[in-house]
Amino acid sequence: MDNSLQTSDFKQRLEVLIGAEKPYAWAARMGINKGSFTNMWYKGGVPRLATAQKIAASSGCRLPWLLHGEGVMRDESGADAAEAEALSQAAQMASARDEYFVPAGVHEEFCFIPRYNLKASAGFGTSAAGEQAMFYMAFRRYWVKNYLNASPLDLAVISVKGDSMSGVLEDRDTILINTAERNPGEGLFVIRIGDDIFVKQLQRLPGGALQVKSANPLYEAFTVDLAGAGGEFEVIGRVVWFGRQIA
């Protein structure tokens, strides 16, 4: 399909969304600036991915339908509602100063995982009170689905602080967490103790206890009685990937 036909089809779908509303009033309600909307409405332009995500999230339409005419315009299922919420958050984080166009199909090949302003301490803990998404990191959908066996909506990215996991995870490493895996077993997990979060090696013990271990021998292991921990202890998710910057 040539670009002119894609552009024409996109505007037709835009007209469906706008309906009888005044175009610029609709754009303002969607949170789209006048310049971007003018480019789409009068100049035949196709929006950047962030703008398309904002339109989809605000109007309740499906992103594949908006960009490519694929499938139905709206799907009221819970999964699509959750995805729309994630798209809305991603659109809010997108910079209005971004001058680059995202190639068509990127949103289908990649999923965008929130990177939170948190550090899971590999030492003495850090407060989780200031949790907020700073930006989003792209991961291939095929890898997430077929290798992690995870839903993108269950994933989050944070960083590591401290040296207690040195040899496995180092200070400032980036870790990907599957928050759907909260049943502690053998492996690396992000946990909350009180208001602080940590990344540790967990191991189930007989009698409902959980051993919390560090890789660095300078830090002693300790046990948690899951039955008596109450709200002071929580498994946030399992670490499924890490990335490291080479200084």
Side-chain angles (χ1 to χ4, degrees):
M1 181 183 294
D2 62 37
N3 188 63
S4 62
L5 184 54
Q6 289 179 359
T7 299
S8 173
D9 288 348
F10 176 79
K11 186 176 179 182
Q12 289 178 8
R13 291 189 290 276
L14 205 59
E15 289 173 343
V16 171
L17 292 177
I18 294 172
E21 193 171 353
K22 293 183 178 179
Y24 280 108
W26 177 88
R29 188 166 58 82
M30 295 295 108
I32 304 170
N33 65 54
K34 186 175 181 180
S36 296
F37 183 73
T38 298
N39 182 60
M40 289 184 286
W41 190 248
Y42 292 106
K43 298 182 180 180
V46 176
R48 295 187 294 269
L49 176 60
T51 302
Q53 288 174 329
K54 184 180 291 187
I55 293 172
S58 299
S59 66
C61 74
R62 296 175 58 255
L63 191 60
W65 174 85
L66 176 65
L67 287 176
H68 307 295
E70 297 176 358
V72 297
M73 180 171 70
R74 291 186 174 88
D75 191 324
E76 302 302 329
S77 71
D80 281 308
E83 184 171 359
E85 177 63 22
L87 288 173
S88 177
Q89 294 177 7
Q92 291 173 18
M93 294 301 299
S95 170
R97 296 187 298 272
D98 182 11
E99 298 177 356
Y100 300 97
F101 285 84
V102 178
V106 165
H107 66 286
E108 297 173 348
E109 184 175 357
F110 292 89
C111 52
F112 297 89
I113 309 303
R115 166 69 158 88
Y116 289 102
N117 188 28
L118 287 175
K119 293 179 174 62
S121 180
F124 295 102
T126 183
S127 175
E131 181 177 350
Q132 57 180 328
M134 297 189 300
F135 52 83
Y136 288 73
M137 294 179 63
F139 292 85
R140 290 189 182 275
R141 288 186 183 274
Y142 181 87
W143 179 75
V144 168
K145 178 180 179 181
N146 294 281
Y147 288 86
L148 297 185
N149 295 314
S151 165
L153 298 175
D154 293 326
L155 301 178
V157 179
I158 62 175
S159 62
V160 173
K161 179 182 180 181
D163 65 352
S164 78
M165 294 303 295
S166 184
V168 178
L169 294 173
E170 304 296 340
D171 185 44
R172 299 175 63 191
D173 280 355
T174 298
I175 54 176
L176 180 66
I177 309 163
N178 185 352
T179 62
E181 297 191 43
R182 297 191 176 188
N183 186 26
E186 184 72 27
L188 283 175
F189 287 82
V190 173
I191 61 175
R192 179 185 60 81
I193 302 176
D195 291 330
D196 297 331
I197 61 171
F198 303 81
V199 57
K200 297 291 182 183
Q201 182 82 28
L202 301 186
Q203 182 181 359
R204 283 273 194 177
L205 299 176
L210 188 69
Q211 186 176 52
V212 182
K213 300 183 292 184
S214 301
N216 188 334
L218 295 177
Y219 294 82
E220 294 185 1
F222 59 92
T223 60
V224 174
D225 179 5
L226 294 177
E232 289 299 304
F233 180 85
E234 178 188 11
V235 176
I236 295 175
R238 187 169 70 89
V239 178
V240 294
W241 173 91
F242 81 92
R244 180 172 298 159
Q245 178 177 335
I246 300 176

